[in-house]
Amino acid sequence: MRRVAHDSSAIAMSSVQLEGGPNELSGTVELAELDEVKISEEKIKIRYGNGYEHYETVRPAPPRTSGGEESEPMTFRWVGRTKIAE
């Protein structure tokens, strides 16, 4: 089941740059391709394995190009992991 819960649709539909955390989630990531993502303006929470990986904004979204596209993805840095309660 793929779920993206968000407060900011611009982030949800774009690529972001993730720093730190699991190797599989590092680098440029398409949020729409992940199973479960919760997004706010400053944080991203991604379900991964038996928990959630938490990321916070390092660099906000750059200005859009004249075509309406972002020139670079937003950057988020890994800040921790929480386990899913059983």
Side-chain angles (χ1 to χ4, degrees), residues 72-83:
E72 294 180 31
M74 289 180 69
T75 301
F76 291 84
R77 182 168 295 135
W78 183 80
V79 294
R81 177 175 188 11
T82 55
K83 289 192 175 187

Side-chain angles (χ1 to χ4, degrees), residues 1 4 6-7 15 31-32 39-40 44 54 56 62 71 73 81 85:
M1 171 175 31
V4 177
H6 55 82
D7 297 328
S15 297
L31 294 178
I39 301 169
S40 71
I44 295 178
H54 299 264
E56 291 184 353
S71 56
R81 177 175 188 11

Side-chain angles (χ1 to χ4, degrees), residues 11-70:
I11 297 172
M13 301 310 293
S14 66
S15 297
V16 294
Q17 182 72 27
L18 299 179
E19 297 178 348
N23 287 335
E24 293 81 9
L25 295 178
S26 293
T28 303
V29 175
E30 284 289 332
L31 294 178
E33 294 178 0
L34 299 174
D35 289 333
E36 185 177 338
V37 179
K38 295 182 181 179
I39 301 169
S40 71
E41 288 294 325
E42 298 175 358
K43 297 180 182 181
I44 295 178
K45 182 169 121 175
I46 302 170
R47 183 171 182 168
Y48 183 76
N50 65 346
Y52 290 96
E53 304 300 331
H54 299 264
Y55 295 84
E56 291 184 353
T57 304
V58 172
R59 185 178 68 229
R64 295 189 179 271
T65 63
S66 59
E69 298 176 3
E70 292 179 6

